[in-house]
Amino acid sequence: MNGRWLLKRIGMSLLVVWTTITLTFALIRLMPGSPISRMRAELYQQYGATMSQEQIDRQVRLYLNVQPDQPLWQQYFNYMFDTFQGDLGHSYIQGVEVTVILADVLPWTVFLLSIAIMFQYTIGILLGASMAYAEGTRFDFASTSVSTFLVSVPFYVFAFLLIFFFVFQWNLFPQGGKYATGLEAGSLAFYRSVLYHATLPIVSLIVTGFGGIALSMRANSIQTLGSDYIRGARLRGLSNFRISYRYVARNAILPLYTGLLIQIGFLFGGAVILEQIFSYRGIGYVLLDATLFRDYPLMMGTFLVITIAVVIGVFVADLTYGKLDPRIQTGDNS
Amino acid sequence: MSDASVDSEDIPLEVVSDVDQTWQDTVRNLLNAYVLVPGRIMITDYRALIGFGIVFGYLFVGTIGVWLMEPTTMWDGERLMQSFETWDHPLGTDPQGRDLLTLMVYGTRPILLMMFSGGLFIVVVGTIVGTVAGFSRGRLDQLLSTITDVALTIPGLPLVIVLAVTLNPQSPILIGVLLAINGWGGLARNLRSQVLSIREEDYVEAANAMNVPTRHILLKDVLPNMMPYILYNFMSSMRGVLFASVGLYYLGVLPYSQENWGVLLDQAYTGGALTTWSMFHWILWPIVAVVTLSIGLILLSQSTDKLFNPRVRARHE
């Protein structure tokens, strides 16, 4: 692996996290009608008779990680310092540390999304490649039409339909939750229940997600198949497997990477809607809860952690990019 | 035409077009380039025709349709009439007896406004950032590329939720821009790499050698090459804004003053429309509206390539 390239990626990831922290700080501190003033007003209303101004300030400081009486730059540095140490403040409603709540729910979201994204890309790439090989046939036309239609369906709409038929009409799947209650964690029945509950959310992401990937894989493959080096490879008498795997697939998959980077962010964002529909208590569910209850510390902390999760996901995806594209190893940046 | 803007002494071989264009010619040329030729191409392509028909239909409903219909109120009809039962309420009514068709028609305009403003924001910001980054070498390029990468990585929907709650925007146009706030990264990144290769073309080098100002080169030589892609992106961005807005209205995090499809979807879902067949039409029609519009946009965007392809155009001029 090329060292400079790796360093650049890490720097980029840190920059994104830093931007997000700055953004949440700005939102908490600088916005008109900011969380700070709202929180102060609320605390004053509740405890105004018993609490002094300093006590209220101390409460605000505990919850939001911001000290309203310091100069702005000092607040900013303290906030940044605390956040990098993993202190995201306390949930206003639940009174628990934000990090504790998030550590509990984040794995569930990652579990849902990583399975969904793996299936999306496997189905999309295989289907797209076979469509390209069968270009112009009835199979190609049918798959292109179906893929185009599926791209037009937002995943939450498909989730609604799944719930309507599979939950309320046919009673095949549970409506929500992460696993059935009363099962011993770690037992086989527990894992089966986890998969059972995750099926509908994952299916709704896969079905509405693979179409777009298949369509761009198809277009890329057709373009690659028409290029001179493929003809050259045929003339050299290389085996069909070698041509399709080493020459066509590699070059057709590379442009999908920008899409993958966007897709990771999109899925983590979409988790807010998905988890609400299936009452699946993951990180998106917590973000929405915090938002609706105006639980600012939890909301900002969740937003930050979602961003970090996306950054890590993108970083891992980038590492596999280096495996596919030999130019990364040699350090050629063009 | 572009020769007109260059002084004759700047032209190395001193040969200038000696044909004067009257304004009638200009109008005719513009009409030909932007209305007649695309129209002729479209007629031959059924996908473009369907897509155009759908999008135009929605525009009609969102502008004139609203004038033609009386707003509906509670107890306009009986509660929960099924679709296609009576002519008074062709799509049926909701549990409060409001006419679903009227609700859908009135919900079209705010959604279209949001999509348009959001799509426009994405395309304008993405194009400016992408072309400038690609065309300028060095520091500026690095800076813009870094900003693009950051915008690309910060997850959009959570950012929008956090911003919507803190800023509380009311007008559909502002909400549209908010929904598109970091959607321009993909377009900018892609345009940058396109510009990198266009920059090396002979005609750009020639323009550079003739001392044509950079913004002229960008506008007249570089941008036209990327128009199909930008237009394609405009339509897919509008689709993205549509999905995001309906989804966030469903979650109840966006403030609203008028009812729209997303709000209807939310009301239907919380009203239990998913539990029985008798209420299913209540949630079905917002869904149909979203999916149909999205199909229309996709079909139209798939045909943009044809509309701008010079070889296809030449056949229809």
Side-chain angles (χ1 to χ4, degrees):
Chain A
M1 190 68 47
N2 182 284
R4 242 187 75 198
W5 181 81
L6 200 67
L7 218 64
K8 224 171 118 185
R9 291 288 122 187
I10 294 174
M12 196 60 227
S13 310
L14 287 179
L15 186 68
V16 173
V17 175
W18 173 75
T19 312
T20 314
I21 297 176
T22 311
L23 200 70
T24 52
F25 175 78
L27 284 173
I28 291 179
R29 190 68 196 89
L30 302 173
M31 286 296 163
S34 72
I36 288 192
S37 39
R38 267 188 232 176
M39 200 159 185
R40 261 191 182 156
E42 256 174 60
L43 286 172
Y44 189 76
Q45 247 181 0
Q46 275 185 338
Y47 310 104
T50 52
M51 260 187 183
S52 64
Q53 192 63 38
E54 281 127 56
Q55 277 172 313
I56 289 180
D57 275 353
R58 203 176 307 141
Q59 281 292 318
V60 170
R61 180 190 153 184
L62 178 68
Y63 282 121
L64 289 172
N65 256 356
V66 165
Q67 295 154 18
D69 45 349
Q70 286 176 341
L72 202 60
W73 64 269
Q74 211 173 336
Q75 289 179 31
Y76 177 66
F77 275 108
N78 284 335
Y79 183 77
M80 189 70 76
F81 195 66
D82 286 346
T83 312
F84 265 108
Q85 282 188 326
D87 178 6
L88 297 175
H90 281 67
S91 159
Y92 181 46
I93 308 280
Q94 304 176 39
V96 190
E97 266 182 68
V98 170
T99 35
V100 174
I101 300 177
L102 293 185
D104 188 35
V105 293
L106 181 64
W108 293 95
T109 305
V110 173
F111 160 69
L112 276 193
L113 299 187
S114 48
I115 293 185
I117 214 164
M118 240 150 51
F119 272 102
Q120 277 181 356
Y121 272 80
T122 319
I123 299 176
I125 286 173
L126 291 179
L127 183 68
S130 26
M131 274 151 73
Y133 271 97
E135 195 198 347
T137 62
R138 222 180 258 168
F139 165 75
D140 178 33
F141 180 77
S143 327
T144 310
S145 309
V146 170
S147 302
T148 309
F149 176 73
L150 289 178
V151 175
S152 326
V153 181
F155 69 88
Y156 49 83
V157 160
F158 197 74
F160 285 152
L161 297 181
L162 285 180
I163 286 193
F164 181 70
F165 287 108
F166 285 88
V167 178
F168 288 112
Q169 295 297 316
W170 301 332
N171 281 321
L172 287 177
F173 281 96
Q175 192 210 348
K178 294 191 284 202
Y179 44 83
T181 46
L183 287 174
E184 192 189 331
S187 66
L188 189 66
F190 173 79
Y191 286 118
R192 275 182 47 190
S193 166
V194 166
L195 283 180
Y196 184 50
H197 280 75
T199 310
L200 287 188
I202 291 178
V203 166
S204 66
L205 286 183
I206 296 173
V207 170
T208 52
F210 76 83
I213 300 162
L215 285 179
S216 37
M217 181 68 190
R218 174 181 179 273
N220 296 341
S221 308
I222 288 176
Q223 209 178 10
T224 318
L225 279 171
S227 54
D228 287 339
Y229 56 83
I230 297 295
R231 207 172 307 149
R234 289 235 164 85
L235 287 176
R236 272 159 60 208
L238 296 180
S239 72
N240 259 338
F241 175 78
R242 198 179 154 88
I243 291 178
S244 54
Y245 178 71
R246 302 260 320 187
Y247 286 63
V248 182
R250 253 193 183 194
N251 283 300
I253 288 173
L254 277 183
L256 292 182
Y257 261 86
T258 316
L260 174 66
L261 303 188
I262 297 175
Q263 183 78 352
I264 293 174
F266 175 79
L267 282 181
F268 266 98
V272 184
I273 303 179
L274 186 79
E275 290 171 359
Q276 201 277 336
I277 295 176
F278 290 101
S279 350
Y280 198 92
R281 213 181 123 79
I283 197 160
Y285 192 93
V286 169
L287 176 64
L288 184 69
D289 241 16
T291 310
L292 293 181
F293 286 111
R294 299 291 186 271
D295 188 346
Y296 288 102
L298 186 58
M299 181 172 103
M300 298 303 181
T302 315
F303 173 51
L304 186 62
V305 170
I306 290 181
T307 311
I308 293 173
V310 171
V311 165
I312 294 175
V314 167
F315 186 72
V316 172
D318 259 345
L319 288 183
T320 59
Y321 185 89
K323 287 250 181 291
L324 273 176
D325 189 347
R327 280 171 299 187
I328 299 297
Q329 261 119 11
T330 54
D332 178 4
N333 258 335
S334 58
Chain B
M1 249 178 32
S2 59
D3 286 353
S5 57
V6 183
D7 288 334
S8 53
E9 63 212 51
D10 285 337
I11 294 171
L13 299 176
E14 301 271 332
V15 182
V16 184
S17 159
D18 50 4
V19 182
D20 281 327
Q21 257 198 337
T22 61
W23 67 267
Q24 284 101 332
D25 289 335
T26 318
V27 169
R28 197 175 306 135
N29 284 342
L30 284 177
L31 201 69
N32 203 25
Y34 288 99
V35 182
L36 292 181
V37 175
R40 276 185 221 134
I41 298 175
M42 221 181 266
I43 287 175
T44 60
D45 182 9
Y46 73 98
R47 280 191 313 186
L49 216 55
I50 298 173
F52 188 76
I54 291 175
V55 173
F56 196 78
Y58 274 90
L59 279 177
F60 180 83
V61 167
T63 51
I64 298 170
V66 180
W67 287 97
L68 295 177
M69 290 193 111
E70 294 282 316
T72 180
T73 51
M74 280 189 215
W75 316 121
D76 241 3
E78 284 170 51
R79 64 184 301 268
L80 275 178
M81 288 168 85
Q82 292 299 304
S83 302
F84 311 120
E85 263 185 3
T86 58
W87 270 112
D88 288 343
H89 308 288
L91 300 186
T93 55
D94 71 0
Q96 293 176 322
R98 296 183 301 174
D99 180 42
L100 281 183
L101 179 66
T102 319
L103 286 176
M104 296 299 304
V105 168
Y106 272 81
T108 308
R109 191 213 290 262
I111 293 279
L112 289 183
L113 276 176
M114 257 176 251
M115 288 166 63
F116 190 76
S117 64
L120 203 65
F121 176 83
I122 288 181
V123 164
V124 169
V125 176
T127 308
I128 293 177
V129 173
T131 35
V132 171
F135 206 78
S136 63
R137 294 152 209 260
R139 280 278 165 78
L140 186 59
D141 177 21
Q142 252 176 12
L143 180 73
L144 290 177
S145 300
T146 312
I147 296 177
T148 306
D149 281 354
V150 172
L152 209 56
T153 320
I154 294 181
L157 224 45
L159 177 67
V160 173
I161 291 177
V162 170
L163 285 177
V165 168
T166 359
L167 300 177
N168 205 22
Q170 294 293 333
S171 99
I173 297 180
L174 279 184
I175 294 178
V177 171
L178 186 68
L179 288 169
I181 196 91
N182 71 340
W184 50 270
L187 176 67
R189 190 187 245 199
N190 229 313
L191 286 186
R192 177 179 167 271
S193 58
Q194 285 189 32
V195 172
L196 280 181
S197 64
I198 295 175
R199 197 175 62 182
E200 309 298 328
E201 296 278 349
D202 291 342
Y203 55 87
V204 177
E205 211 182 317
N208 249 332
M210 284 192 288
N211 250 342
V212 179
T214 311
R215 70 198 144 86
H216 279 224
I217 301 181
L218 284 179
L219 278 179
K220 303 231 150 164
D221 296 328
V222 178
L223 211 54
N225 282 298
M226 308 181 303
M227 266 330 266
Y229 184 73
I230 294 175
L231 207 63
Y232 174 86
N233 210 284
F234 180 54
M235 292 187 218
S236 51
S237 305
M238 287 208 286
R239 207 179 81 240
V241 173
L242 169 69
F243 285 8
S245 74
V246 172
L248 291 187
Y249 274 116
Y250 157 72
L251 290 183
V253 289
L254 286 182
Y256 63 93
S257 42
Q258 305 152 280
E259 299 204 328
N260 60 49
W261 306 338
V263 180
L264 283 181
L265 198 73
D266 180 29
Q267 291 170 350
Y269 181 83
T270 22
L274 280 181
T275 48
T276 64
W277 272 110
S278 64
M279 286 200 272
F280 190 60
H281 67 286
W282 188 16
I283 203 166
L284 179 69
W285 291 111
I287 288 180
V288 170
V290 171
V291 173
T292 314
L293 179 54
S294 151
I295 290 179
L297 283 172
I298 287 190
L299 290 177
L300 203 57
S301 67
Q302 282 177 347
S303 62
T304 48
D305 182 47
K306 262 194 189 152
L307 289 184
F308 281 89
N309 189 329
R311 285 192 202 108
V312 181
R313 285 188 80 111
R315 264 186 269 141
H316 292 270
E317 255 160 24

